[in-house]
Amino acid sequence: QVRLVESGGGSVQAGGSLRLSCAASEAIDRRACMKWFRQAPGKEREGIATIDRDGSTSYAASVEGRFTISKDNAKNTLLLQMNSLKPEDTATYYCVAGLFSGFLCRGRTQNSGDKWGQGTQVTVSS
């Protein structure tokens, strides 16, 4: 069973950047789908970015053009580069390993069999 450990969260001013990392306990290059979710206080979890086995990516409209998801397969690490951060990006960010590729990955939804990390906090001040 894969274990996921996120890092890279912290506090930053609006307009700044952060890069989140998610270290996996096993190879992720053939994982059907790797995802980033976030949850802000009082709000539901939101799927913000996914990367499929074939490398295709999907982004929520709220982060499109500002965030980039990628994989470092040599290090079994999922990355999320976050630029032009806004106060509304403040949330706990979670790395997720999914079992399904294709439209279930692109849909950025929670699916059966998803494995979650413990999360890392991102705080953006105005």
Side-chain angles (χ1 to χ4, degrees):
Q1 184 169 342
V2 65
R3 295 188 306 276
L4 304 168
V5 179
E6 301 94 334
S7 62
S11 297
V12 64
Q13 289 192 328
S17 298
L18 284 173
R19 189 174 81 158
L20 304 184
S21 297
C22 170
S25 61
E26 61 185 46
I28 62 170
D29 58 340
R30 295 187 177 184
R31 267 283 168 175
C33 183
M34 295 297 296
K35 322 177 197 181
W36 286 102
F37 275 71
R38 70 183 180 186
Q39 187 168 23
K43 295 188 176 181
E44 293 186 355
R45 283 183 179 178
E46 174 189 18
I48 57 170
T50 65
I51 184 164
D52 206 321
R53 180 188 289 119
D54 64 3
S56 58
T57 57
S58 174
Y59 297 94
S62 56
V63 306
E64 180 94 52
R66 299 187 298 122
F67 291 10
T68 303
I69 187 172
S70 62
K71 293 188 291 185
D72 184 337
N73 292 327
K75 296 181 179 180
N76 296 333
T77 299
L78 180 70
L79 302 168
L80 185 68
Q81 179 66 42
M82 306 187 296
N83 298 329
S84 303
L85 283 161
K86 306 175 181 179
E88 51 264 43
D89 294 318
T90 295
T92 301
Y93 285 70
Y94 298 91
C95 169
V96 182
L99 298 178
F100 305 104
S101 60
F103 74 92
L104 286 176
C105 186
R106 292 192 299 273
R108 300 184 305 280
T109 55
Q110 299 183 55
N111 301 118
S112 176
D114 282 348
K115 301 302 181 185
W116 291 71
Q118 84 290 347
T120 186
Q121 178 66 37
V122 171
T123 302
V124 184
S125 59
S126 57

